[in-house]
Amino acid sequence: MTVPSTPTSSTCWRRRASRSGSCRAMTPTRASWPRFGRCGRTERCARWQERFGPASGRCRRTGPTRALRPSGGAQPRALPGAVQFAAAVRTGLRPPRPSRPGRKAERAMMGMVEHKAMPPYAYPLDGRTLRVVVRAAKGTLKSVTAVYGDRYAPVEEAETARLERAGSDARHDYFQGELRLSPPRFRYAFLLDDGTDRRWLSEAGLSDAPPRHGFFQYPYINAADLYDVPDWLVDGVVYQIFPERFANGNPANDPPGVRPWHDQRPTATSFYGGDLEGVIQRLSHLEELGVTVLYLTPVFASPSNHKYDTTDYYQVDPHFGDQETLKELVRQCHARGIRVILDAVFNHSGFDFFAFKDVRERGAESPYANWFHIHGFPVRTEPVPNYETFANALPFMPKLRTETPELRAYLLDVARYWIETCDIDGWRIDVANEVDHAFWREFRRTVRAAKPDAYIVGEIWHEALPWLLGDQFDGVTNYPVREAALDFFARGRIGADGFAEALVQNMFAYPLPALQGSWNLLGSHDTERIMTACGGDPRKAALAAVFNMTWIGTPMIYYGDEIGMEGETDPDCRRPMIWDRAGAAAGGPSGEGVSGGGSSGDVVAPDAERAAAAGDKPARRGRWNEPLFQLYKRLVRLRRETDALRRGEARILHADPAANTVAYRRGGEEDGVVVVLNNSPRAREVPTAELFGARGGAGRGGAGAGRAGVGNGNGAADDRHADDGAGAKAHGPDDAVSRRQDAGAWTAAVLLDCTDGIAFGAQWPVGPQDGSVRVPPYGALLLKRS
Ligand SMILES: [Ca+2]
């Protein structure tokens, strides 16, 4: 919106409004806004300056000038709780006065507000849209309004945008909004309103009067600075494979002394013979699961089973295959619509990496001596290495000195080589946070030059904003989300409120594209498996899976989690993949909608303690948890088919620590979906008022909901839930039939029901008039507009 207009009194002013930045008749002025005047050559200008002063924004002599009028018929946008910025500049805001005891403290709290014109508080969403976030002490602000304009435009052209309170963590509220300009040259301030007072926030700090200088500036959105996370990643689901343990497709290349595949007790040094041929042979599993991205932990020559100590970056480990095998794997993946990401271990090499070998042999004379951080010669490993290593003095992993130009060139060539020779689609970077930023910027340029839509994800376990500014990684391994999920679903360390707060905190730690481009995982080759973290209780693992597949960020599945494998932390989490699917109990691979109830109840033990006491957990028996696998398949498909789950933003709608229920929306109020989770062993009622928001579904209803009671094609599952629902305060599908005529405009679908094993499938109409929705024990609902 363009507010204002040309003041009638000043020629000079009109000329400035031409955005030329200078007044033709006068000396060029600095385009500082709203310090208008330095042009004192004409009578009128001099008068104007006299009236307003060079920077006062107010007329000293005559006080406020007359109100602005809209130009071109445009009406000034209503600004709830605020005033027009332009008028405010002219009139000033009346200095607020503490009016009652305690007011001073309140104002001090209001001052605990943060914004910087840089991520994660300001970042571009596209070529003309700047997202801004204001973080305020929790509960102190009622509203935040951004007042913004072109850096070179007069103040009267200021536009306004009301920021939305988009989330709250334990200590903060986050207000978020979008500023749009073309050309995208932003200058802005915020008007904060705590219900009593209004104060301005600018780069210069807080002020009672409108700021006259020190505006926040985001000078230009250059296309080169936009985030460009590949679509295929954001829309995808990642599957991680530890090649030594996924499948042995070629026993002829096995290392000596391999253990039998069914031995589920790996050690740090054991081998099982898994290889790339095995992955190729089992691609049908990935296809059935529906994943679209395959991430392989390192495949290059190395003496270890994990291969994070590279001997030769240009050679596929002979126990895994050769370059042709890798090429064939990528080709077959691509034929199935699956992208392939390899693991780049550039923080450190292996002990027998040719360069380190040379340094060990030739000492300071080696041309590679500066490829490492060596503190003395000759190189020794005892009693502790006299060179820097990965982690705590691991002599077989000497740290690389990536500042060295020759080493940089070498590693960058490795990155390029595998894209060009085998057509891989990206790199996961090991120990990404201990390598210099300059290297990663060069790495990104190299990788993107080789493949424009290649993806780069850094292994970083902590908050990782410095790597997520768009110039280094597309995303990181978002372990803080895993910690929150495990604390809530598995360990019971936090309640629903703490869980929601942790999610919000993580959400606002990163710009949206970086959040979407990061991996959400429940486990990896470095952690205990989710099933084990859940104490072997498949209900909890299943509910965690629902969360992982419906939260913002790209989900990653660690091989075997989808069938309920167990494992403590490394190396136990690297057990050989179980392929004994036929060993699963009845109700096995019978297609979508399979229920965990009935005869398969012994597979999906509803009572974890009973299962544990029997020493008969699914993974121990070498069987698939088939209902869990069916749930995963369904969730992956749901995510791929639902735009809001892949790309929608996230909003926490409900978090009840007493009931242990959480609900969040993905996507907008109109086109989004709502996920409701019940992390408790009892069915819970969640108020619809919190799920549908103020606008709810009222008024959109009528005879919609034609899909009521339409399950997923599996009558048995639906019938079972119909029975469940009958006793549940008229929220079940049976009642849906009679309520179709006046149902709300939403449909509730059971994503998970652990009343008796793992099940899902029922749908029924629901609306604000229902008052609440019933969520089954350790269950989840998906609500969407009908
Ligand atoms: Ca093999």
Side-chain angles (χ1 to χ4, degrees), residues 244 247-255 258 272-278 319-320:
E244 224 280 316
N248 187 355
N250 180 9
N253 64 14
D254 288 0
V258 295
Y272 286 82
D275 49 37
L276 298 184
E277 183 60 39
H319 298 310
F320 283 179

Side-chain angles (χ1 to χ4, degrees), residues 690-701:
E690 296 185 33
L691 304 180
F692 298 121
R695 279 187 278 174
R700 293 174 50 114

Side-chain angles (χ1 to χ4, degrees), residues 117-129:
M118 61 180 69
Y121 294 113
Y123 56 88
L125 288 178
D126 57 44
R128 60 184 290 266
T129 308

Side-chain angles (χ1 to χ4, degrees), residues 389-405:
T389 71
F390 167 64
N392 289 329
L394 299 176
F396 59 97
M397 290 180 170
K399 180 170 170 60
L400 292 163
R401 183 192 289 276
T402 44
E403 293 88 346
T404 303

Side-chain angles (χ1 to χ4, degrees), residues 446-772:
T446 302
V447 166
R448 284 296 178 91
K451 194 168 211 175
D453 70 341
Y455 168 74
I456 301 168
V457 59
E459 183 214 14
I460 298 184
W461 290 54
H462 52 83
E463 199 169 297
L465 184 63
W467 294 268
L468 293 175
L469 301 175
D471 57 344
Q472 296 165 70
F473 308 152
D474 295 305
V476 292
T477 48
N478 204 339
Y479 278 96
V481 168
R482 173 181 182 269
E483 285 305 313
L486 264 64
D487 279 351
F488 181 55
F489 296 110
R491 303 165 182 148
R493 288 181 187 161
I494 56 176
D497 49 348
F499 179 54
E501 288 166 356
L503 295 179
V504 169
Q505 186 179 356
N506 180 264
M507 200 161 79
F508 286 98
Y510 302 127
L512 175 67
L515 190 71
Q516 292 173 324
S518 290
W519 290 358
N520 290 339
L521 59 160
L522 295 172
S524 74
H525 63 294
D526 286 327
T527 72
E528 67 179 334
R529 284 185 177 273
I530 181 64
M531 183 66 83
T532 301
C534 290
D537 188 338
R539 302 171 304 175
K540 296 180 179 179
L543 188 61
V546 172
F547 163 73
N548 201 47
M549 287 292 162
T550 55
W551 186 243
I552 189 168
T554 300
M556 191 205 85
I557 302 168
Y558 181 51
Y559 82 95
D561 280 356
E562 75 278 17
I563 58 166
M565 281 177 64
E566 296 191 73
E568 305 288 345
T569 190
D570 164 22
D572 193 41
C573 57
R574 302 170 181 180
R575 296 178 192 178
M577 175 71 176
I578 294 169
W579 291 111
D580 182 19
R581 186 175 191 173
S590 56
E592 288 301 294
V594 67
S595 166
S599 59
S600 61
D602 63 334
V603 174
V604 189
D607 184 340
E609 291 180 5
R610 188 184 66 202
D616 201 23
K617 295 175 183 176
R620 290 280 187 277
R621 295 183 306 204
R623 289 180 182 175
W624 284 27
N625 185 326
E626 185 68 29
L628 183 64
F629 180 60
Q630 296 301 329
L631 173 72
Y632 262 93
K633 279 173 60 175
R634 188 178 171 83
L635 292 171
V636 171
R637 195 180 68 184
L638 176 74
R639 183 171 180 106
R640 290 181 59 184
E641 291 173 349
T642 311
D643 288 346
L645 289 180
R646 295 194 315 274
R647 295 187 166 263
E649 300 206 36
R651 294 285 181 276
I652 300 288
L653 303 176
H654 161 92
D656 183 346
N660 241 15
T661 49
V662 172
Y664 45 88
R665 188 181 69 234
R666 296 293 315 281
E669 281 196 42
E670 294 301 321
D671 57 357
V673 298
V674 173
V675 178
V676 193
L677 306 177
N678 172 14
N679 186 28
S680 82
R682 281 175 291 281
R684 300 290 194 190
E685 299 284 336
V686 174
T688 53
E690 296 185 33
L691 304 180
F692 298 121
R695 279 187 278 174
R700 293 174 50 114
R707 292 148 71 188
V710 178
N712 55 7
N714 186 305
D718 285 350
D719 289 343
R720 208 169 63 81
H721 284 287
D723 293 337
D724 287 347
K729 291 179 61 179
H731 295 301
D734 280 356
D735 303 285
V737 177
S738 61
R739 290 169 52 249
R740 281 178 191 173
Q741 296 308 310
D742 59 355
W746 291 72
T747 300
V750 175
L751 289 181
L752 175 64
D753 180 346
C754 292
T755 304
D756 181 17
I758 293 174
F760 39 78
Q763 294 189 28
W764 67 93
V766 64
Q769 71 279 3
D770 289 316
S772 67

Side-chain angles (χ1 to χ4, degrees), residues 70 380 385 443 598 669:
R380 59 174 163 75
F443 178 86
E669 281 196 42

